[in-house]
């Protein structure tokens, strides 16, 4: 049997299923960009901290609510876990998808609201964007993350709505999960860097 | 065609509702189309318009440098502030609104589906969105020249505190508009990049394996990957700079505990990979052209591919060579000197492989081939001068002189301008169904190339003599004032070059309507796009092609034709 | 012989790290030690993250491709290929 120039036998070409579905691949690439975006923010923060004369956090600034946010962190992580189990249920076509997905969404919403309350308190104590490097970086990092949580929240709501209409497919659910896992996954890093 | 066992790809290739078959209005056909070819054209024509604007700006400020203080015909007297703004926006436009859209977005959108045998991108609507955002960003940039205070003048690298503080840059609106435009442009390319990578991975024609993908697509994909992986930190920096400008934070303000070098850190993390983002597509275009016109197989396809990947990876290790004099750790400077010198190796290697492809070929000197060959020659000069700059010791002297400027013009001009001309003269028959006029093409070629060298060789000399960049009038520097002749030569050559572009524009428009009909495959090339009609209809093929071999099977011994298109089934019946 | 050369080479490279602060121009060093260190750290961080991601992705992809290639080659019905979700078109 003759071979072609690359040394492989002539065969009949077959169109095959993509190794990674379009939506998943697209979302993975997008999330990779987001990871770099957050890496940039974190690097900026590390350098910003290093410039502080007199140590970090800068003296005379309001204290960040470390313990309360630990609770909030737990809520967000729990949301990620709930979503993971929702996916397992989805794959098995089990009816518990809906409550699990609902739980994930609710915990995400809780996270945003809790953080909003925290911000109101902090602004009351005088920590604003322009009050200094701490305020600037705090709202920059945490605020950017909050925007992502809101975006992820909306995406999950959308999947929930599709689920209610029995028309959620894995090509929509899977990318949505990837985004949410990303949002959940960067938060502990931010918490560690910004609060601790 | 060998059909046994293949999936039936005949039923109308995935034309969903949005692709409707019926007559479309002009608006939905040309303005709001999701067809990858139309989007490519949109990117291309926007890029050409922006290139004309950028060229006009260079005309204005070069005239000021050659004839300081005199009124420039067609512009008027260039003031100091305007000079800065012209230089800044010239650089910004040429890199972000010319090189990127023409090389990556236009050729990427046009070629990826056609070369892999697909009917469109996998996310057509995201593709359309990408162009729309791009267009908005271009409009914002143009508007920024006319806002109170004028366009931003803090250089395309936009270093703070100059860029962060309106008291220093005197362009309270221009600076912010500039920043927003650049950020939007990144978003546009991000969306485009997602599409490119996913499409190449998932929509290839049956039978097209990794090593059957034409080199230009690999290059565009590697460029997209580099872009996606490097742009994040710059977007982070841009957000911070925006907040410094608009909200009044002090991230980059040393007075308030900020760090101006941080911006450079984030900018160049993107900035250096970015030069490979635009370089690689141009290298890919050149690879296609030299194979077709040397009638030879690409010399060592796999080595070129892996070299390109390696270049991409190394390009993440070199960026601090732009900061040798910015106050970085000297140990880091040493490390980055070494990596910078290392990265010139793969680039040189690729050029050698291209030259090896030419060796012994039956070369046809058509217009695209001339452009491709000149790319190799001119880019070599750019790469070699980079080595002097990469050595941190000599860079302390050369930094921010015209030597750097000439260096990167010897890289960017081949990439953005030569690469574009090579690509457009090569694919014009496919895009518009007619041949371009070859004689006019050659006149345009020689006029452009000769003039180009006369612009920038004098600038190398001036730079080596210590002439700094971004200075309004060198007459104020006694040591430099005497070298005015060189500046006049450079500016005159620029004028010649700009005039020759009229020939290209004429040739383009003339050939669009009056050119010789091209037929499907005027160059007798192998890749799949040449099997579609010229111009390809909506959906590209009545039935999507299969792929049976690599893209560069030219002059295969024992075959009658000296080419062997990828979609032609093998002579022998398939096994089974 | 080979080994000796490798040792020499690494030694020369290591000297690059031993450059002292007076090596470059007078303005070429940050007065703050923490700041200097932070730049080195974030340089390493920013370089490692994308390369790890790309490497990890390629590794994951290769594994998936292998898995698929080990499975018997079955042509997928066009109907199934089309089913790529609402946001993207089939191949
Ligand atoms: C072949 C290897 C290359 C080496 C070793 C190299 C080296 C350098 C170095 C060390 C600098 C900094 C000089 C200074 O500011 O003092 C520089 C500047 C620059 N290079 Fe290259 N380069 C190479 C290829 C390229 C390519 C391919 C491009 C473009 C596509 C490019 C575009 C630029 C630009 C735009 C600048 C100036 C940035 C600015 O300050 O405005 N270089 N190059
Ligand atoms: Cu560079």
């Amino acid at each position: 049997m003759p071979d072609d120039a690359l040394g492989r036998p002539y065969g009949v070409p077959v169109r095959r299923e993509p190794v990674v579905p379009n939506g998943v691949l697209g979302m993975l690439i997008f999330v990779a960009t987001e990871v770099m975006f957050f890496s940039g923010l974190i690097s900026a923060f590390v350098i910003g901290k290093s410039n502080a004369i007199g140590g970090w956090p800068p003296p005379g600034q309001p204290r960040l609510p470390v313990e309360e946010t630990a609770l909030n962190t737990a809520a967000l992580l729990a949301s990620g876990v709930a979503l993971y189990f929702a996916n397992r249920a989805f794959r098995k076509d089990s009816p518990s998808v809906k409550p699990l997905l609902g739980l994930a969404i609710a915990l995400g919403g809780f996270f945003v609201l809790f953080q909003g309350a925290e911000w109101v308190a902090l602004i009351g104590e005088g920590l604003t964007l322009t009050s200094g490097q701490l305020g600037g970086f705090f709202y920059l990092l945490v605020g950017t993350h909050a925007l992502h949580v809101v975006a992820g929240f909306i995406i999950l709501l959308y999947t929930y709505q599709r689920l209610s209409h029995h028309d959620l497919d894995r090509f929509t659910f899977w990318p949505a999960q990837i985004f949410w896992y990303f949002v959940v996954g960067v938060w502990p890093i931010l918490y560690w860097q910004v609060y601790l | 065609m060998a059909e046994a066992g293949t999936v039936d790809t005949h039923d109308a290739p995935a034309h969903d509702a949005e692709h409707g078959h019926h007559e479309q209005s002009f608006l939905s056909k040309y303005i709001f189309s999701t067809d990858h070819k139309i989007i490519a054209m949109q990117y291309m024509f926007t890029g050409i318009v922006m290139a004309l604007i950028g060229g006009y700006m260079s005309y204005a400020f070069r005239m000021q440098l050659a004839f300081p203080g005199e009124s420039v015909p067609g512009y008027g007297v260039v003031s100091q502030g305007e000079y800065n703004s012209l230089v800044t926006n010239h650089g910004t436009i040429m890199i972000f609104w010319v090189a990127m859209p023409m090389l990556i977005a236009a050729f990427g959108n046009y070629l990826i589906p056609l070369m892999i045998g697909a009917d469109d991108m996998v996310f057509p609507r995201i593709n359309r969105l990408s162009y729309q955002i791009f267009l908005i960003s271009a409009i914002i940039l143009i508007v920024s020249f006319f806002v109170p205070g004028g366009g931003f003048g803090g250089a395309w690298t936009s270093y703070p505190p100059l860029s962060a503080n309106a008291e220093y840059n005197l362009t309270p609106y221009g600076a912010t508009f500039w920043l927003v435009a650049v950020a939007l442009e990144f978003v546009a390319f991000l969306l485009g990049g997602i599409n490119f990578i996913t499409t190449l991975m998932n929509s290839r024609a049956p039978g097209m394996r990794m090593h059957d993908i034409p080199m230009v697509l690999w290059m565009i994909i590697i460029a997209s990957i580099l872009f996606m992986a490097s742009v994040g930190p710059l977007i982070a920096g841009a957000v911070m700079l925006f907040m410094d400008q608009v909200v009044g934070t002090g991230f980059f303000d040393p007075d308030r505990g900020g760090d101006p070098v941080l911006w450079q850190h984030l900018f160049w993390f993107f900035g250096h990979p970015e030069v490979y983002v635009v370089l690689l597509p141009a290298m890919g275009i050149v690879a296609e052209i030299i194979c077709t016109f040397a009638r030879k197989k690409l010399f060592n396809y796999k080595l070129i591919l892996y070299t390109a990947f390696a270049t991409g990876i190394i390009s993440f290790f070199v960026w601090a060579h732009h900061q040798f004099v910015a106050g970085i750790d000297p140990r880091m400077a040493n490390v980055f000197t070494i990596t910078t010198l290392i990265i010139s190796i793969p680039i040189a290697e690729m050029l050698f492989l291209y030259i090896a492809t030419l060796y012994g070929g039956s070369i046809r000197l058509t217009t695209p081939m001339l452009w491709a060959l000149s790319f190799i020659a001119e880019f070599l000069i750019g790469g070699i001068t980079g080595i002097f700059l990469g050595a941190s010791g000599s860079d302390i002297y050369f930094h921010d002189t015209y030597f750097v400027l000439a260096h990167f013009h010897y890289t960017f001009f081949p990439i953005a301008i030569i690469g574009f001309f090579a690509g457009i003269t090569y694919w014009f028959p496919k895009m518009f169904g007619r041949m371009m006029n070859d004689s006019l093409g050659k006149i345009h070629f020689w006029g452009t190339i000769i003039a180009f060298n006369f612009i920038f060789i004098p600038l190398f000399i001036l730079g080596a003599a210590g002439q700094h960049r971004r200075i309004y009038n060198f007459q104020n520097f006694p040591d430099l004032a005497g070298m005015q002749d060189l500046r006049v030569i450079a500016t005159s050559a620029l004028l010649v070059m700009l005039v020759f572009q009229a020939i290209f524009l004429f040739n383009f428009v003339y050939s669009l309507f009056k050119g010789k009909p091209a037929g499907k495959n005027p160059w007798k090339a192998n890749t799949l796009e040449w099997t579609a009609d010229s111009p390809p209809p909506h959906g590209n093929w009545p039935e999507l092609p299969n792929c049976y071999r690599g893209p560069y099977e030219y002059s295969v011994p024992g075959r009658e034709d000296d080419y062997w298109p990828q979609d032609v089934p093998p002579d022998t019946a398939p096994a089974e | 012989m080979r080994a000796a050369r490798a040792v020499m080479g690494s030694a020369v490279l290591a000297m690059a790290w031993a450059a002292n602060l007076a090596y470059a121009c007078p303005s070429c060093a940050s007065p703050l030690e923490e700041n200097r260190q932070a730049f080195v750290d974030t340089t390493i961080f920013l370089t490692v993250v994308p390369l790890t991601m790309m490497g990890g992705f390629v590794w994951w992809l290769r594994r998936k491709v292998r898995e698929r290639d080990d499975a018997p080659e079955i042509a997928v019905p066009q109907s199934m290929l089309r089913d790529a979700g609402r946001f993207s078109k089939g191949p």
Side-chain angles (χ1 to χ4, degrees), chain B residues 7 14 119 121-124 201 225 259 265 269 316-317 319 324 327-329 331-332 334-336 338 392, chain C residues 13 16-17 19-21 23 27-28 35-36 39-40 42-43 46-47 51 54 61 75-76 78 82 87-89:
Chain B
V7 177
D119 60 333
M121 291 284 184
V122 290
F123 305 116
M201 295 274 302
I225 297 175
D259 191 340
H265 196 56
F269 178 80
F316 281 95
F317 292 111
W319 88 87
F324 283 152
I328 61 167
D329 190 331
R331 283 175 281 180
M332 229 156 76
N334 273 350
V335 172
F336 277 95
I338 295 169
S392 55
Chain C
L13 285 181
W17 196 250
N20 67 37
L21 289 176
Y23 168 83
S27 65
C28 288
N35 183 252
R36 199 187 55 70
F39 268 106
V40 174
T42 54
T43 299
L46 279 181
T47 312
L51 295 182
M54 283 192 260
L61 207 64
V76 182
Q78 192 69 10
R82 286 285 174 65
F87 293 105
S88 66
K89 48 187 270 322

Side-chain angles (χ1 to χ4, degrees), chain B residues 156 268 275 322 340 386 389-390 395 399 407-408 411-412 415 469:
Chain B
W156 79 280
W268 288 115
V275 304
H322 295 273
T340 303
L389 302 174
D395 188 53
H399 177 67
H407 152 70
F408 71 75
T411 55
F412 264 116
I415 291 169
R469 295 164 72 184

Side-chain angles (χ1 to χ4, degrees), chain B residues 295-342:
Chain B
R295 312 309 288 170
K296 266 193 71 187
K297 195 168 172 148
L298 189 61
F299 188 84
N300 213 335
Y301 178 99
K302 287 191 187 172
L303 189 59
I304 293 182
L305 179 58
Y306 297 147
T307 307
F309 268 112
T311 312
I313 288 175
I314 304 174
S315 75
F316 281 95
F317 292 111
V318 301
W319 88 87
H321 64 214
H322 295 273
Q323 293 162 264
F324 283 152
V325 288
I328 61 167
D329 190 331
R331 283 175 281 180
M332 229 156 76
N334 273 350
V335 172
F336 277 95
T337 294
I338 295 169
T339 54
T340 303
L341 299 186
I342 287 176

Side-chain angles (χ1 to χ4, degrees), chain B residues 436-488:
Chain B
M436 273 181 118
N437 185 310
D438 211 44
S439 315
L440 283 179
K442 283 181 179 153
I443 296 172
H444 169 237
F445 167 79
W446 287 111
T448 308
I449 285 293
I450 295 174
F452 162 67
N453 287 288
F454 272 95
I455 302 174
F456 289 103
I457 288 175
L459 300 189
F460 270 128
I461 302 171
L462 285 167
Q467 173 173 310
H468 260 239
R469 295 164 72 184
R470 298 165 181 151
I471 284 174
Y472 172 61
N473 183 351
F474 293 104
Q475 297 309 313
N476 304 330
F477 298 82
D479 290 343
L480 296 173
M483 305 180 82
Q484 193 63 13
D485 288 351
L486 289 173
R487 286 175 211 121
V488 176

Side-chain angles (χ1 to χ4, degrees), chain B residues 95 156-157 159 268 272 274-276 278-279 321-325 340-341 343-344 347 379 382-391 395-396 398-401 404-405 407-409 411-412 415 469-470:
Chain B
I95 293 172
W156 79 280
T157 50
Y159 283 2
W268 288 115
H272 195 88
E274 163 72 10
V275 304
Y276 294 96
V278 289
L279 168 64
H321 64 214
H322 295 273
Q323 293 162 264
F324 283 152
V325 288
T340 303
L341 299 186
I343 202 170
S344 35
I347 296 288
F379 184 76
I384 287 178
T385 51
I387 295 177
F388 298 100
L389 302 174
D395 188 53
I396 289 172
F398 282 129
H399 177 67
D400 254 350
T401 63
V404 173
L405 182 131
H407 152 70
F408 71 75
H409 279 86
T411 55
F412 264 116
I415 291 169
R469 295 164 72 184
R470 298 165 181 151

